[in-house]
Amino acid sequence: MLLRHCLALALAATLSATVAADEAKPAHTPSPKDLLAKSQPQEWRVPDPRNVLVMQLPQGRVLIELAPDFTPLHVANIRTMAHEHYYDGLVIERVQDNFVTQWGDAANEDESGDKSKLKPLGSAKDRLPPEYTRPYDAKLPFTALKDGDFYAPEVGFSEGFPAARDKAHQQQWLTHCYGMVGVGRDIDPETGSGSELYAVIGQAPRALDRNIALVGRVLQGMEYLSGLPRGTGPMGFYEKPEQRIAIRSVRLASDLPAEERPNVEVLRTDSVTFAALVDAKRNRFDDFYRLPAGKVDVCSVNIPVRDAKTSH
Amino acid sequence: MLLRHCLALALAATLSATVAADEAKPAHTPSPKDLLAKSQPQEWRVPDPRNVLVMQLPQGRVLIELAPDFTPLHVANIRTMAHEHYYDGLVIERVQDNFVTQWGDAANEDESGDKSKLKPLGSAKDRLPPEYTRPYDAKLPFTALKDGDFYAPEVGFSEGFPAARDKAHQQQWLTHCYGMVGVGRDIDPETGSGSELYAVIGQAPRALDRNIALVGRVLQGMEYLSGLPRGTGPMGFYEKPEQRIAIRSVRLASDLPAEERPNVEVLRTDSVTFAALVDAKRNRFDDFYRLPAGKVDVCSVNIPVRDAKTSH
């Protein structure tokens, strides 16, 4: 809500009662907070620690959930790099407004093209098959969004990620929504390895769907990637080395000692509460929203994440 | 593009020539840069200085073009406030990730509800009719987007702004795309005055369309609003007063001495070059984008702005 006064929130109930007495109108849609408060424990899942990247930045901790069912080779490569501490000391080198924040090896930006300065990839591969889509599999969980989509024949949520599928062409893929994480590459489609990653920080760049591999989604700490000064160089690269933000470490949660592992839960996208949240967003009607949109697009849906320790 | 190496850009022309010799494929879509380089001077317009707000922040200058044909009463009120220096010394008080950056009078956030601390609005009005839509007018310039829209019967561009219209209901309105500027209000629809404004910094919150008044669009300096640390309070408000960002001044360009006025040009949204840019985005095909989306949504279209002094 875009309230002028926080106080107005407190007044809402009173106003609502007054208006309700005056005119017939649809019931208020429940708020996300109310819906989440009524959720059941089994509607929440604990992400597999082998699928969770823990990135430590000077600003704070970023958690990324990987999607091995969509990009298995890239996820395996990223796990290898995290396991071997490849990302430690790399940098956020690019923040392009309304597009992406990208991190990787700053030596890639060396104009000399001298590859000898690149940090070695260790056991990880430097080239991988594209994995822009995966074969259609009716058995892969998919909660379709009944509203349809502007770009794809069918969209919805699969294992906690926004996704699309095309039965006619027997393909499915993750969609470029806010907070999704993808693999930077050169022109050659096989040059993506996961050594350069980006997160979407603006209007969903859906034209990238099926042109680049998406490997996961930011679960927490998105604000540390989106709330950064924009780069002033071409494509939003930082022009001065001192503007780059050093990555302290990136670990797989499964490589961390138990006491250091993040303890979060993600609302299941096949749960009743998630469906209720989507519907409340689709038909939002309350004292502030008087004209429900009646539709919701896949990239406007928030997938809730909570700290497990505070949720019981 | 999400290139690993900036160098790859230089290689693109070479690769392109090689590939073209090997296989039949569609011609590359022209790049925005190429299209803009061929634009004609008459395709660019200089915004009316009476419609341009010049906001000075510690980070830099933000230019906002107002849309008096859509929200005339709010624009008039905002002009009055700018003219009387109302905004000087107010603050950016809220940055909610993937939603909005909002500025206004921090005294609104005072929990005591003591309105005596509010900066007086001077000659400006404290309440205005909502202006969420305006009457349909076939004479108002409207360049329709042939792709259609997910939320509205018809979308396109009107006088440089993303817009929608509904002939059946005889209404038209501006759409909540990235960089659009709107009027914060309380629950009561008449409580918006323009004393609190917000800019969209995330996925287009189209559900706000027709629920709140949009008054314009950020032409330049968007990065100073989007690249800020996110607020950690409810709805993204900054929790500590020292986190707020002070607005040095907001002036109407027409109130500035000639030598201090911004000197920018905006590509006309009814121009041939703009149509070509939209089509290049819709069907983007090049060495990197191998699978064109075939469609483009109204909030994914960039409306180019350039410094007039460097453009000739």
Side-chain angles (χ1 to χ4, degrees):
Chain A
M1 282 191 287
L2 294 150
L3 297 170
R4 284 208 309 178
H5 309 171
C6 280
L7 279 175
L9 282 171
L11 296 171
T14 319
L15 279 167
S16 168
T18 314
V19 174
D22 295 335
E23 51 178 289
K25 63 181 178 71
H28 282 202
T29 44
S31 72
K33 191 179 170 186
D34 290 345
L35 289 168
L36 290 173
K38 289 180 198 162
S39 66
Q40 299 300 309
Q42 67 273 18
E43 293 188 300
W44 297 82
R45 65 186 172 83
V46 176
D48 184 338
R50 294 187 64 243
N51 291 338
V52 176
L53 288 179
V54 182
M55 177 160 64
Q56 298 287 356
L57 297 177
Q59 289 85 347
R61 188 184 77 174
V62 180
L63 299 184
I64 296 167
E65 183 173 16
L66 299 169
D69 283 336
F70 284 86
T71 40
L73 300 174
H74 284 81
V75 167
N77 218 41
I78 290 167
R79 282 186 186 131
T80 299
M81 287 187 275
H83 185 67
E84 297 179 357
H85 301 189
Y86 166 74
Y87 297 105
D88 298 14
L90 299 191
V91 292
I92 294 176
E93 64 207 346
R94 176 191 186 194
V95 184
Q96 184 169 359
D97 193 48
N98 193 16
F99 194 34
V100 297
T101 290
Q102 184 173 330
W103 57 98
D105 188 341
N108 269 322
E109 304 316 314
D110 186 337
E111 290 183 7
S112 73
D114 181 359
K115 294 221 172 193
S116 69
K117 293 180 188 167
L118 288 172
K119 185 169 180 177
L121 289 181
S123 313
K125 297 194 172 78
D126 187 34
R127 294 173 64 88
L128 289 173
E131 294 190 308
Y132 302 160
T133 64
R134 57 150 287 154
Y136 189 93
D137 180 355
K139 286 190 219 116
L140 194 68
F142 191 89
T143 304
L145 196 61
K146 69 176 182 182
D147 311 72
D149 186 54
F150 196 72
Y151 292 99
E154 190 179 20
V155 292
F157 301 90
S158 184
E159 302 183 311
F161 302 96
R165 59 185 188 180
D166 181 349
K167 195 172 181 183
H169 294 89
Q170 288 289 299
Q171 290 180 332
Q172 53 203 81
W173 59 92
L174 299 180
T175 52
H176 273 82
C177 298
Y178 196 90
M180 291 296 286
V181 175
V183 172
R185 63 165 172 91
D186 290 340
I187 295 292
D188 177 349
E190 300 208 352
T191 50
S193 67
S195 63
E196 294 272 328
L197 295 170
Y198 64 89
V200 173
I201 61 163
Q203 177 71 13
R206 297 286 305 278
L208 281 171
D209 289 359
R210 296 183 289 166
N211 280 299
I212 200 161
L214 284 171
V215 292
R217 185 175 86 91
V218 177
L219 295 181
Q220 273 188 349
M222 184 62 199
E223 65 273 25
Y224 304 126
L225 299 173
S226 60
L228 295 173
R230 277 42 183 160
T232 50
M235 303 195 301
F237 278 93
Y238 286 130
E239 294 185 278
K240 297 175 189 168
E242 62 269 27
Q243 294 173 306
R244 296 171 182 155
I245 293 138
I247 296 167
R248 290 183 180 160
S249 65
V250 175
R251 296 285 179 275
L252 267 182
S254 53
D255 284 345
L256 291 172
E259 67 276 14
E260 291 178 26
R261 288 188 192 178
N263 193 12
V264 299
E265 296 177 329
V266 183
L267 187 67
R268 297 184 65 97
T269 48
D270 56 0
S271 66
V272 170
T273 295
F274 184 74
L277 282 167
V278 170
D279 197 53
K281 177 128 194 162
R282 176 187 291 128
N283 294 311
R284 186 163 180 180
F285 178 86
D286 55 29
D287 290 316
F288 193 88
Y289 285 81
R290 306 307 296 258
L291 189 69
K295 291 185 86 171
V296 64
D297 69 278
V298 67
C299 287
S300 290
V301 174
N302 177 43
I303 303 168
V305 178
R306 68 181 182 185
D307 288 321
K309 52 193 162 198
T310 63
S311 63
H312 300 300
Chain B
M1 284 192 287
L2 294 150
L3 298 169
R4 284 208 310 176
H5 308 170
C6 279
L7 277 175
L9 281 172
L11 294 173
T14 319
L15 279 166
S16 165
T18 313
V19 174
D22 293 337
E23 51 178 289
K25 64 180 176 71
H28 282 200
T29 43
S31 71
K33 191 179 171 187
D34 290 345
L35 289 168
L36 290 173
K38 289 181 198 161
S39 66
Q40 299 299 308
Q42 66 273 19
E43 293 187 300
W44 297 81
R45 66 185 171 85
V46 176
D48 183 339
R50 293 187 64 243
N51 291 339
V52 176
L53 287 179
V54 182
M55 177 160 63
Q56 298 288 354
L57 296 176
Q59 290 86 345
R61 188 185 76 175
V62 179
L63 299 184
I64 295 167
E65 183 173 15
L66 300 169
D69 283 337
F70 284 86
T71 40
L73 300 174
H74 285 81
V75 167
N77 218 41
I78 290 167
R79 281 186 187 131
T80 298
M81 287 187 275
H83 185 67
E84 297 179 357
H85 301 189
Y86 166 75
Y87 297 104
D88 299 13
L90 299 192
V91 293
I92 295 176
E93 62 207 348
R94 175 191 186 195
V95 185
Q96 184 169 359
D97 195 48
N98 194 17
F99 194 34
V100 297
T101 289
Q102 183 173 331
W103 57 98
D105 188 341
N108 270 322
E109 305 316 314
D110 187 339
E111 291 183 8
S112 72
D114 181 358
K115 293 221 172 196
S116 69
K117 292 180 188 166
L118 288 172
K119 186 169 179 176
L121 288 182
S123 314
K125 298 192 170 79
D126 187 35
R127 294 173 64 88
L128 289 172
E131 294 191 310
Y132 302 159
T133 64
R134 56 150 289 154
Y136 189 93
D137 180 356
K139 288 190 215 113
L140 194 70
F142 192 89
T143 304
L145 196 63
K146 69 177 184 183
D147 310 71
D149 185 55
F150 196 72
Y151 292 98
E154 190 179 20
V155 292
F157 300 90
S158 185
E159 302 184 309
F161 302 96
R165 59 185 189 178
D166 181 348
K167 196 172 180 183
H169 293 89
Q170 288 288 300
Q171 289 180 333
Q172 52 203 84
W173 59 91
L174 299 179
T175 53
H176 273 83
C177 298
Y178 195 90
M180 291 296 285
V181 175
V183 172
R185 64 165 171 91
D186 289 342
I187 295 292
D188 176 349
E190 300 208 351
T191 51
S193 67
S195 64
E196 294 271 327
L197 295 170
Y198 64 88
V200 173
I201 62 164
Q203 178 71 13
R206 295 287 303 279
L208 282 171
D209 289 359
R210 296 182 288 167
N211 280 301
I212 200 162
L214 285 171
V215 292
R217 185 176 86 91
V218 176
L219 295 180
Q220 274 189 348
M222 185 61 199
E223 65 273 25
Y224 305 125
L225 299 173
S226 59
L228 295 172
R230 276 43 182 161
T232 50
M235 302 195 301
F237 278 91
Y238 287 129
E239 294 185 277
K240 298 175 188 168
E242 62 269 27
Q243 294 173 307
R244 296 171 181 156
I245 293 138
I247 296 168
R248 290 183 180 160
S249 64
V250 175
R251 296 284 179 276
L252 268 183
S254 54
D255 283 344
L256 291 172
E259 67 275 14
E260 290 178 27
R261 290 188 189 177
N263 193 13
V264 300
E265 296 176 330
V266 184
L267 187 67
R268 297 183 65 96
T269 48
D270 57 0
S271 67
V272 169
T273 294
F274 184 74
L277 283 166
V278 170
D279 197 55
K281 179 128 192 162
R282 176 188 290 128
N283 294 310
R284 186 163 180 179
F285 178 86
D286 55 29
D287 289 316
F288 193 89
Y289 285 81
R290 305 306 297 258
L291 189 69
K295 290 185 88 172
V296 64
D297 68 280
V298 67
C299 287
S300 289
V301 174
N302 176 43
I303 302 169
V305 177
R306 68 181 181 185
D307 288 322
K309 54 193 161 202
T310 64
S311 63
H312 299 302

